[in-house]
Amino acid sequence: MIEKNIIKSVIYGFIGGLYIGFLLFSQDEMVYLGDHYENEHLSIASYLIKIIRFSIIISLTAAVITTIFILYKKYISSNNQM
């Protein structure tokens, strides 16, 4: 049961991270070149890797938060039974 909830949080975190990544990140980046900034267009592969990296971080964070929450609930319920 615990593993099922953690797997769900990883999957939902990854999908949510993809959605958020597409909304937050642009395919254009501002690059500082000494005395001025220049707009650089990322390739599709670089853009997707950037979004997938963000999504993996979100999914792992969701897994850690879910694990802490489950362990906390288990700790609270074991203390209430004493």
Side-chain angles (χ1 to χ4, degrees), residues 5-42:
N5 288 335
I6 294 172
I7 296 295
K8 276 185 183 179
S9 70
V10 168
I11 292 171
Y12 291 145
F14 185 77
I15 293 170
L18 285 176
Y19 289 143
I20 293 170
F22 279 116
L23 290 175
L24 289 182
F25 296 121
S26 174
Q27 199 169 357
D28 296 327
E29 283 188 342
M30 295 296 288
V31 180
Y32 183 67
L33 299 174
D35 59 345
H36 68 282
Y37 286 95
E38 191 172 303
N39 196 11
E40 182 178 302
H41 189 73
L42 293 175

Side-chain angles (χ1 to χ4, degrees), residues 31-63:
V31 180
Y32 183 67
L33 299 174
D35 59 345
H36 68 282
Y37 286 95
E38 191 172 303
N39 196 11
E40 182 178 302
H41 189 73
L42 293 175
S43 67
I44 296 293
S46 297
Y47 180 62
L48 290 177
I49 288 172
K50 185 177 183 180
I51 290 175
I52 289 172
R53 185 182 311 139
F54 175 76
S55 183
I56 289 171
I57 291 170
I58 294 294
S59 66
L60 293 177
T61 304

